[in-house]
Amino acid sequence: MKGYTDFLMLLSPSDKVKAVVHNHKFYAASVIGNYESMHSIAHISIKMMHRQKTFLTEPDILAFRKRLCVIPPVTLAIDGFDYFNHGEDFKTIYARIRSTPETSHWFKMLKQHLRIKEFMVPHITIARNIPVADFEKLWLHFKAMEWKETFTVNALTVLQRETFASFAKWEPFTELQFEGKAQYSLAPPKPSLLKPVNSRQISLF
């Protein structure tokens, strides 16, 4: 029986987007050498839960099903690339998710139902936490590249791994479906309630 487990909640893009991100990651590796996130499958991180007591957390996650089923699926659009600063020495290159009043409201709903208070910038990581010298080698390439792609997300994917197991890999735990009607909740909030997106903000995920 597992004692402590890490859980990761994420949104999974289409297979086409995963394939393109895979190619971008290995282009980056061909330029700067192997790096930590080069093998990760494309995703949008939503919530990380470290060192959870399994017998307590698993029922709580499954109980989210009733909350999330009222949220409709969402169509997201990739619109080029951007980066986060991590202090002065490291940066992360990512595929940018276009922000609209509708998508901002959708993510606000998702955070409310998952009880997430932290500010987030939805994104798909290409090269995470790389030294500035490596970033400078890559950024001229990604800055000049146009990539526009849409994909629809129908579920929240939850992965799990044993906290203290050596070389533990992420494994599927469950998928929580978005089954709500679009007209139920996608009216955008008033402009005054929208938080401005700072594309240089440090990623929390």
Side-chain angles (χ1 to χ4, degrees), residues 26-138:
F26 278 84
Y27 167 79
S30 73
V31 175
I32 65 174
N34 292 353
Y35 58 93
E36 182 180 355
S37 62
M38 64 177 290
H39 294 294
S40 64
I41 299 172
H43 64 277
I44 300 173
S45 295
I46 298 299
K47 185 176 183 179
M48 174 72 80
M49 304 170 68
H50 292 289
R51 195 178 176 181
Q52 301 294 305
K53 291 184 178 180
T54 307
F55 73 96
L56 292 176
T57 306
E58 285 187 352
D60 287 345
I61 291 175
L62 294 175
F64 281 128
R65 192 180 309 274
K66 293 181 180 180
R67 292 172 169 266
L68 297 185
C69 70
V70 302
I71 297 178
V74 65
T75 297
L76 302 175
I78 295 171
D79 187 8
F81 300 89
D82 211 327
Y83 63 90
F84 295 118
N85 294 307
H86 307 295
E88 297 181 355
D89 299 323
F90 295 91
K91 296 177 184 287
T92 289
I93 297 174
Y94 64 88
R96 181 174 52 224
I97 303 298
R98 185 186 303 141
S99 179
T100 67
E102 290 77 18
T103 59
S104 294
H105 182 52
W106 189 91
F107 278 104
K108 181 179 179 181
M109 282 193 302
L110 182 64
K111 288 173 60 178
Q112 288 175 339
H113 285 299
L114 294 176
R115 299 168 186 159
I116 298 172
K117 296 182 180 179
E118 295 86 356
F119 179 71
M120 71 170 71
V121 178
H123 65 280
I124 300 175
T125 298
I126 304 297
R128 177 165 55 86
N129 206 32
I130 58 174
V132 169
D134 289 339
F135 166 81
E136 291 175 348
K137 294 177 183 177
L138 293 175

Side-chain angles (χ1 to χ4, degrees), residues 13-29 35 37-43 78-81 93-96 124-127 141-142 145-151:
S14 64
D15 289 341
K16 181 179 179 181
V17 168
K18 290 178 182 178
V20 174
V21 169
H22 172 86
N23 291 339
H24 286 317
K25 285 176 174 285
F26 278 84
Y27 167 79
Y35 58 93
S37 62
M38 64 177 290
H39 294 294
S40 64
I41 299 172
H43 64 277
I78 295 171
D79 187 8
F81 300 89
I93 297 174
Y94 64 88
R96 181 174 52 224
I124 300 175
T125 298
I126 304 297
H141 169 80
F142 284 102
M145 183 183 302
E146 289 190 9
W147 183 25
K148 296 184 184 296
E149 188 76 44
T150 60
F151 60 93

